[in-house]
């Protein structure tokens, strides 16, 4: 078939890497120049890659390109997707989105729930695309080397995004800390996962030597000392990149993300000390680092009224925490309104993305004294309250299931490693710290393109280690249970192709409407 499988495989591979570039995308003519282009391009790429991936699976080579076996086309697709559906993490995510869809159907505004609003675009349509992306990367990448290459590429791109956080382009409203996301609240969660991945790679790229454990089993020991020259270059690249990500997170002055970063670092540091993952010398270094951080922040707190702290916006924002501050007061009011909305619609909520209806129905005029900009809230700035208000108790339980399955997968990955495998322990600590940092930051914020990007990357990596997707099982199940007629194959192929074209047309329609809207607004000025 003129190397069709090779062509499809390249479309999937290069398409997946192209998706990693979407955080860099912006278009000045768009209405929301830094967010809309990211979502549109991401969704289009996911649709193209998904179609190629389904076709690749149908030809029988999605799992093992060297296999000569050919199964019924639909059978192969069905059994591989069924295998992914058995994965606890993908099952929990799918269940949460299914509950969200039901909530949207019975909610206040289904259109808003499905599409989101132009400034966010975080409706179910985008969320489903992120889930499909996760399914593809879990099903396509088969070993640690492929995953390491993919996530390290994403890290390199995150460093490029961070570099844009030092630019000032006033006509684009681009100032230090904002990056190509044009909002530090959107980009900080994206940096959190990549920060911890860079930290992991910095430790991992030490010298590697072969050792033997007590059972006589040989393994690779990754040391943090005396690295080889080749590994040293990688190590310091990841070290410098990690430091750059941290500096831009601080430059953005998003306190929720900074708190999440510190909580994640504490978990990571304590894990390295008590999990016996590194040598004693490195444990002493970690302990000294935390003591220095504690002493430094204690000193900043006592010197918070000094001229140096007052003249440094980042330090001033970190050291001046008061219940009387505008952002604190307005968020407390929004949280109270979220509880009111939850009590009115406890089971399925008002529908995803519909918090603004709750906010307007129970509007508190006190907000006006904090400025006109504080009189409009479409998010309660707490992801967990947002879920309870918009998707109700059932949605909250579905979200809790995601947390439980993720924790279980982390524990399983930690338990499955050999006792002497320090690299395995550090990997688990990295994922656990990144996940905790994400959850901590979401306590003061809400999900967006950046937070979803980092979260789904991490969950996809974790789910791939617990995937029961094997070629032999798929082949046996397919040949035994799902032999379908050629006519059905052709019909389904035509339907899938038509659906792909329809989805591409939808995304292009959104893009054209956005550009037209932006152009019309410029006419007024």
């Amino acid at each position: 078939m003129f190397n069709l499988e090779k062509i499809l495989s390249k479309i999937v591979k290069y398409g997946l890497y192209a998706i990693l570039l979407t955080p860099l995308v912006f278009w000045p003519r768009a209405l929301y120049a830094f967010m809309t282009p990211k979502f549109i391009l991401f969704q289009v790429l996911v649709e193209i890659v998904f179609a190629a991936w389904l076709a690749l699976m149908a030809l029988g080579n999605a799992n093992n390109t060297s296999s000569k076996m050919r199964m019924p086309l639909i059978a192969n697709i069905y059994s591989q997707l069924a295998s992914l559906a058995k994965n606890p993490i993908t099952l929990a995510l799918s269940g949460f989105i299914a509950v969200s869809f039901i909530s949207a159907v019975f909610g206040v505004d289904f259109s808003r729930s499905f599409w989101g609003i132009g400034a966010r675009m975080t409706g179910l349509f985008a969320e489903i695309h992120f889930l499909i992306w996760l399914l593809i990367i879990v099903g396509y990448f088969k070993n640690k080397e492929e995953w390491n290459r993919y996530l390290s590429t994403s890290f390199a791109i995150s460093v490029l995004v961070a570099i844009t956080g030092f630019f000032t382009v006033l006509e684009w409203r681009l100032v230090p800390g904002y990056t190509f996301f044009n909002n530090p609240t959107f980009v900080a969660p994206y940096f959190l996962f990549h920060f911890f991945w860079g930290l992991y790679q910095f430790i991992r790229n030490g010298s590697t030597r072969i050792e033997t454990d007590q059972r006589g089993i040989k393994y690779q020991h990754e040391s943090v000392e005396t690295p080889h020259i080749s590994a040293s270059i990688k190590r310091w690249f990841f070290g410098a990149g990690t430091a750059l990500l941290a500096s831009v997170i601080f430059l953005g002055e998003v306190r929720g993300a900074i708190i999440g970063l510190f909580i994640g670092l504490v978990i990571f540091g304590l894990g390295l000390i008590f999990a016996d993952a590194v040598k004693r010398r490195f444990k002493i270094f970690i302990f000294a680092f935390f003591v220095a951080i504690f002493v430094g922040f204690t000193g900043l707190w006592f010197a918070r009224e000094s001229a140096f702290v007052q003249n440094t916006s980042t330090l001033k924002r970190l050291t001046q925490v008061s219940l009387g501050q505008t952002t604190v007061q307005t968020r407390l009011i929004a949280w109270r309104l979220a509880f009111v909305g939850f009590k009115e619609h406890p089971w399925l909520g008002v529908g995803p993305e519909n918090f603004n209806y709750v906010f307007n129905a129970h509007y508190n005029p006190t907000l006006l004294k904090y400025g006109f900009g504080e009189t409009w809230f479409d998010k309660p700035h707490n992801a967990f309250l947002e879920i309870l208000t918009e998707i109700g108790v059932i949605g909250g339980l579905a979200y809790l299931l995601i947390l439980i399955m993720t924790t279980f997968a982390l524990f399983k990955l930690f338990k499955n490693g050999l006792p002497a495998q320090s690299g395995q322990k550090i990997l688990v600590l990295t994922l656990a710290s990144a996940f905790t940092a994400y959850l901590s930051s979401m306590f003061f914020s809400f999900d967006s393109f950046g937070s979803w990007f980092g979260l789904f990357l991490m969950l996809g990596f974790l789910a791939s280690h617990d995937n029961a997707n094997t070629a032999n099982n798929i082949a046996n199940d397919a040949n035994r249970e799902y032999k379908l007629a050629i006519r059905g194959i052709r019909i389904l192929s035509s339907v899938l192709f038509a659906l792909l074209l329809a989805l591409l047309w939808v995304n292009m329609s959104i893009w054209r409407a956005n550009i037209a809207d932006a152009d019309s607004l410029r006419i007024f000025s």
Side-chain angles (χ1 to χ4, degrees):
M1 299 179 66
F2 56 87
N3 290 325
L4 179 59
E5 293 172 33
K6 183 182 292 186
I7 295 173
L8 291 171
S9 182
K10 287 185 177 181
I11 291 174
V12 175
K13 179 181 178 180
Y14 295 131
L16 287 175
Y17 277 91
I19 287 172
L20 298 180
L21 292 169
T22 52
L24 284 169
V25 175
F26 75 101
W27 192 262
R29 273 193 61 203
L31 183 57
Y32 306 101
F34 291 89
M35 293 308 299
T36 304
K38 288 178 173 57
F39 272 105
I40 295 296
L41 183 59
F42 175 85
Q43 290 165 180
V44 168
L45 288 173
V46 166
E47 290 159 9
I48 293 173
V49 171
F50 187 51
W53 183 59
L54 289 177
L56 191 61
M57 285 195 299
L59 294 174
N61 276 358
N63 262 311
N64 185 359
T65 55
S66 64
S67 175
K68 301 285 185 182
M69 189 181 338
R70 288 293 178 270
M71 293 171 284
L73 302 187
I74 298 178
N76 203 348
I77 295 175
Y78 181 88
S79 56
Q80 290 222 33
L81 290 177
S83 177
L84 287 173
K86 295 176 184 177
N87 187 290
I89 292 178
T90 59
L91 185 62
L93 283 169
S94 302
F96 176 76
I97 293 179
V99 172
S100 299
F101 187 85
I102 295 172
S103 171
V105 171
F106 293 99
V108 177
D109 188 342
F110 177 81
S111 178
R112 185 184 176 97
S113 296
F114 190 76
W115 301 108
I117 63 173
R120 312 278 193 224
M121 291 190 71
T122 49
L124 289 171
F125 186 70
E127 197 169 1
I128 291 170
H129 280 77
F130 272 94
L131 176 63
I132 292 173
W133 177 43
L134 180 139
L135 293 175
I136 298 170
I137 57 179
V138 172
Y140 185 75
F141 294 125
K142 299 302 174 186
N143 54 59
K144 291 182 179 180
E145 289 74 20
E146 292 180 349
W147 268 109
N148 181 65
R149 194 179 303 115
Y150 193 64
L151 294 182
S152 296
T153 302
S154 185
F155 174 83
I157 294 169
S158 74
V159 171
L160 293 178
V161 175
I163 291 174
T164 68
F166 294 96
F167 294 157
T168 299
V169 185
L170 295 180
E171 57 266 33
W172 293 346
R173 293 191 301 173
L174 188 64
V175 295
Y178 277 49
T179 75
F180 277 173
F181 281 70
N182 198 232
N183 191 327
T185 303
F186 295 161
V187 74
Y190 167 73
F191 285 152
L192 285 176
F193 168 74
H194 293 93
F195 170 87
F196 284 100
W197 181 258
L199 198 59
Y200 164 68
Q201 290 292 339
F202 175 72
I203 298 174
R204 176 180 178 269
N205 280 282
S207 62
T208 302
R209 63 180 184 270
I210 303 297
E211 293 188 357
T212 305
D213 66 7
Q214 296 176 350
R215 295 171 293 177
I217 299 175
K218 292 184 177 181
Y219 66 94
Q220 284 189 336
H221 177 79
E222 294 166 344
S223 172
V224 296
E225 302 173 36
T226 61
H228 297 299
I229 295 177
S230 58
S232 180
I233 296 174
K234 291 182 181 178
R235 189 182 186 195
W236 290 109
F237 164 74
F238 282 106
T242 301
L244 182 64
L245 294 179
S247 65
V248 178
I249 290 175
F250 277 95
L251 199 60
E253 301 180 5
V254 180
R255 277 179 289 204
I258 295 173
I259 291 172
L261 178 65
F262 273 112
I263 292 175
L265 276 174
V266 169
I267 292 174
F268 189 74
L270 292 176
L272 289 179
I273 293 174
F274 293 106
D276 196 25
V278 294
K279 287 184 173 294
R280 185 171 179 270
R281 187 184 306 174
F282 198 67
K283 290 181 181 180
I284 295 174
F285 171 77
I286 295 171
F287 181 76
F289 174 77
F290 276 108
V291 170
I293 292 293
F294 176 77
V295 171
F297 271 94
T298 302
L300 280 176
W301 178 257
F302 284 106
R304 62 185 182 275
E305 300 299 333
S306 67
F308 172 74
V309 174
Q310 291 296 313
N311 294 329
T312 308
S313 61
T314 302
L315 297 180
K316 181 180 178 180
R317 183 171 174 83
L318 287 176
T319 55
Q320 290 192 347
V321 179
S322 169
L323 290 178
Q325 286 184 308
T326 297
T327 54
V328 175
Q329 285 297 310
T330 55
R331 275 155 180 71
L332 288 175
I333 293 173
W335 290 2
R336 286 195 289 268
L337 295 181
F339 273 116
V340 172
F342 167 66
K343 287 188 290 186
E344 289 183 345
H345 305 272
W347 297 109
L348 283 172
V350 295
E353 302 294 305
N354 284 335
F355 174 75
N356 70 305
Y357 289 106
V358 174
F359 180 83
N360 290 333
H362 304 282
Y363 176 72
N364 187 338
T366 306
L367 287 165
L368 189 59
K369 76 177 184 179
Y370 298 106
F372 183 74
E374 299 295 338
T375 63
W376 181 83
F377 270 66
D378 68 325
K379 301 282 186 180
H381 287 263
N382 182 304
F384 312 110
L385 282 177
E386 182 182 348
I387 290 171
L388 285 178
T389 305
E390 296 181 350
I391 317 177
V393 172
I394 299 176
L397 293 175
Y399 188 79
L400 181 62
L401 183 62
I402 297 175
L403 305 186
I404 293 173
M405 291 298 101
T406 302
T407 304
F408 177 76
L410 286 168
F411 177 77
K412 185 177 179 181
L413 182 61
F414 185 86
K415 187 177 179 181
N416 287 345
L418 292 174
Q421 282 186 321
S422 61
Q424 183 89 333
K425 293 179 180 179
I426 296 172
L427 174 61
V428 175
L429 286 172
T430 299
L431 298 175
S433 301
F435 191 56
T436 305
Y438 161 79
L439 293 177
S440 301
S441 67
M442 287 299 103
F443 189 83
F444 304 97
S445 187
F446 49 88
D447 276 311
S448 60
F449 183 87
S451 66
W452 276 351
F453 205 95
L455 176 66
F456 278 81
L457 263 181
M458 191 210 75
L459 293 181
F461 177 72
L462 190 58
S464 69
H465 286 73
D466 195 31
N467 190 24
N469 192 13
T470 61
N472 290 335
N473 290 339
I474 290 172
N476 293 335
D477 291 343
N479 288 320
R480 183 173 60 250
E481 300 178 19
Y482 309 114
K483 291 186 178 295
L484 300 174
I486 294 296
R487 180 180 300 177
I489 296 170
R490 291 173 177 170
I491 293 174
L492 183 60
S493 300
S494 301
V495 171
L496 290 174
F497 183 73
L499 180 60
L500 171 64
L501 293 179
L503 287 173
L504 293 175
W505 178 81
V506 166
N507 277 294
M508 293 309 298
S509 298
I510 296 173
W511 178 245
R512 287 196 304 269
N514 181 280
I515 296 296
D517 196 358
D519 289 340
S520 66
L521 288 174
R522 292 187 186 100
I523 293 174
F524 287 94
S525 59

